[in-house]
Amino acid sequence: GPPHDPDRRFFARIMGEVARHDYEAAAAGFRLFVELHPTSSFSAQADSCLGECEYQVGHYQEPIHAFDHALSRTPFNPSLAAAAFLRKGNSYARLGDVRHARSLLELIVVQFPATEEAAKARQTLLSP
């Protein structure tokens, strides 16, 4: 959309919070964005960013839901999917759910083998 597009301006303001590492404020902004603009072309990215912000502040259950929501919003986007699955796997690991974490990391390696996320997943899987 054009630079004066209200969705784009709102999203850019929230990304400013991310740039300042104010993840709590950014998470609140992304939640509001998704609530107010559920059909925006930025909504999947907002859900994904919400998941990342929640992860950064140590809320590991919330990213799982946010990334699931991001993945359900869009036509399949391999780049978003690989990143979402990796962060979901890391979230499950932080929650102590090794089975789900391992399953997602293995999925990344198989489904997205040439990605940076697959390299990270392989490294995690091979770590003692």
Side-chain angles (χ1 to χ4, degrees), residues 67-128:
F67 287 120
D68 282 343
H69 206 232
L71 290 166
S72 74
R73 283 185 179 279
T74 61
F76 190 72
N77 176 331
S79 176
L80 182 136
F85 289 136
L86 180 62
R87 194 49 97 192
K88 280 180 61 176
N90 291 338
S91 294
Y92 278 119
R94 295 288 183 132
L95 292 168
D97 188 340
V98 176
R99 186 176 60 82
H100 275 105
R102 185 168 195 75
S103 174
L104 285 167
L105 295 175
E106 290 170 350
L107 173 88
I108 296 164
V109 171
V110 171
Q111 294 294 319
F112 310 99
T115 64
E116 181 180 326
E117 290 81 6
K120 290 177 182 177
R122 269 187 218 92
Q123 183 178 16
T124 301
L125 288 166
L126 295 173
S127 295

Side-chain angles (χ1 to χ4, degrees), residues 10-21 26 30 45 49:
F10 185 16
F11 190 85
R13 284 198 316 265
I14 302 166
M15 289 303 291
E17 299 294 339
V18 173
R20 287 186 289 283
H21 304 283
F30 288 127
Q45 189 176 357
C49 290

